[in-house]
Amino acid sequence: MAVFVVSADTAAGSLTVTEKAGPSSYLRPVSVATGRGPLGVAQCTPGGMLFVALAVCDEVFSVDVPTGQVAGRIGVGWAPRSLAPVPGTPYLLVANAGSDTVSLIDTEEGRTTVSIGVGREPGAMAVSADGRTALVCERGAGTVAALDLSPLAKGYPARISLRWRTGIGPHPHTQPRAVALSSGQAVVACARRDALPVLNADDGALVADVPLPLPGSAPAGVAVTGRDGFALVALERAGLLAVVDVLDWRVTRQIRIGPGLRHLAVDADDDTVYCTLAQHSRLAVLHLDGVDLSSTDGEPQLDTLATGTRPSAVAVARTNEPAPNGT
């Protein structure tokens, strides 16, 4: 199975697709024109289509990864910002910031099946591994909401409902920008908060509030490593990646990446982390294999990959076959 790193290059109106030849080796990147401000990218199943949210319209594109061809367009709400697959199903969630809704796409049928009203300016999302709960950052409202997805298992997508909503505080302008799940707990990165709220995914109760190392650092992205339970938090203004131990909720180290650090994606197969660097039109590539994240011992290897202008999101995609002519 071939592995690709895909960045959504918002200002360039394109995707950059780079085939991975090894842990630290990549083939020549290919640019795929999408137009209209690509802002979110996700693959529902390994080997399946890649889906791209176009933020200045009301469509999601499906893209064949090996060929780089746009295969279809699906109408959603206005200004889709982020995408989240529902594990074990053909469904894809789309957060529409302009219409305050979350669309549910049936990727097998290539159509939107239902639209769910949520809070103001929904953005980043995360879905539990069992596919029963979706968390939505309602950036404009300063809240995080949980959607009950359990009706999907019974074939009733129209019955998806709100489970809970939690205000992040201490004021409504905290701007939650990213969320990730770890063992039933939601880790939330807020642009205007110097701590990392951790919520119980079942009821939205605050579990922990992790102080971040630098005030005003504007947390912009969060991801969780699969091997030993650490949350990685992108501090945009500081250009740092803060590492948080999810067992005792403390920052264990800071890794300097570069200015404009925003979105994160983790390739669990080899512990490689990809980070968008909007100010440099590049992706940072951080190799965590063999690095003890619980201490400051050892320095992870840091490389970069070229992308288009202002990459805003990154994803790792897999295909059953490599690209026809390589990338």
Side-chain angles (χ1 to χ4, degrees):
M1 181 171 283
V3 179
F4 294 80
V5 181
V6 184
S7 68
D9 308 326
T10 306
S14 64
L15 304 178
T16 297
V17 182
T18 306
E19 187 173 357
K20 196 170 182 176
S24 303
S25 178
Y26 300 86
L27 303 183
R28 183 172 59 86
V30 165
S31 180
V32 178
T34 61
R36 301 187 176 186
L39 194 58
V41 58
Q43 186 180 41
C44 286
T45 56
M49 287 285 179
L50 191 75
F51 293 89
V52 186
L54 302 176
V56 297
C57 66
D58 57 357
E59 291 182 315
V60 168
F61 281 14
S62 58
V63 176
D64 181 71
V65 180
T67 65
Q69 298 297 310
V70 174
R73 302 182 179 193
I74 303 167
V76 291
W78 184 251
R81 295 187 64 88
S82 65
L83 308 174
V86 181
T89 77
Y91 293 111
L92 176 70
L93 296 173
V94 185
N96 306 304
S99 55
D100 297 340
T101 60
V102 171
S103 297
L104 181 72
I105 289 177
D106 185 327
T107 60
E108 291 181 347
E109 297 185 3
R111 66 181 182 90
T112 295
T113 61
V114 69
S115 181
I116 305 109
V118 294
R120 187 157 52 92
E121 199 182 344
M125 298 181 292
V127 180
S128 60
D130 62 7
R132 297 176 64 87
T133 304
L135 301 183
V136 185
C137 288
E138 297 168 333
R139 182 169 176 175
T143 54
V144 175
L147 299 178
D148 181 5
L149 302 182
S150 57
L152 291 179
K154 300 177 181 180
Y156 299 114
R159 296 184 183 178
I160 292 173
S161 60
L162 179 70
R163 179 175 292 168
W164 53 258
R165 173 175 285 115
T166 295
I168 297 300
H171 52 75
H173 307 295
T174 53
Q175 295 187 2
R177 297 175 70 182
V179 60
L181 282 162
S182 175
S183 302
Q185 296 175 324
V187 185
V188 187
C190 302
R192 296 185 178 180
R193 209 166 185 273
D194 294 331
L196 193 70
V198 182
L199 307 178
N200 186 312
D202 290 332
D203 58 14
L206 184 68
V207 174
D209 208 23
V210 185
L212 292 171
L214 294 173
S217 55
V222 62
V224 175
T225 64
R227 59 190 176 101
D228 43 14
F230 289 89
L232 309 175
V233 185
L235 305 180
E236 181 177 4
R237 290 177 185 163
L240 297 173
L241 194 67
V243 180
V244 178
D245 190 326
V246 301
L247 295 179
D248 57 10
W249 297 115
R250 64 184 178 88
V251 175
T252 60
R253 66 157 67 196
Q254 303 168 50
I255 303 171
R256 182 159 297 282
I257 303 295
L261 174 63
R262 290 184 182 174
H263 190 253
L264 309 175
V266 179
D267 186 347
D269 287 350
D270 60 7
D271 293 322
T272 303
V273 182
Y274 299 93
C275 320
T276 61
L277 297 174
Q279 295 183 22
H280 287 290
S281 300
R282 300 188 72 82
L283 294 179
V285 183
L286 187 69
H287 304 276
L288 296 180
D289 187 30
V291 178
D292 181 7
L293 294 179
S294 66
S295 72
T296 56
D297 296 337
E299 289 296 328
Q301 178 185 338
L302 179 64
D303 302 314
T304 63
L305 289 175
T307 65
T309 309
R310 295 188 67 82
S312 57
V314 59
V316 177
R318 287 171 168 79
T319 67
N320 295 323
E321 299 293 339
N325 300 311
T327 52

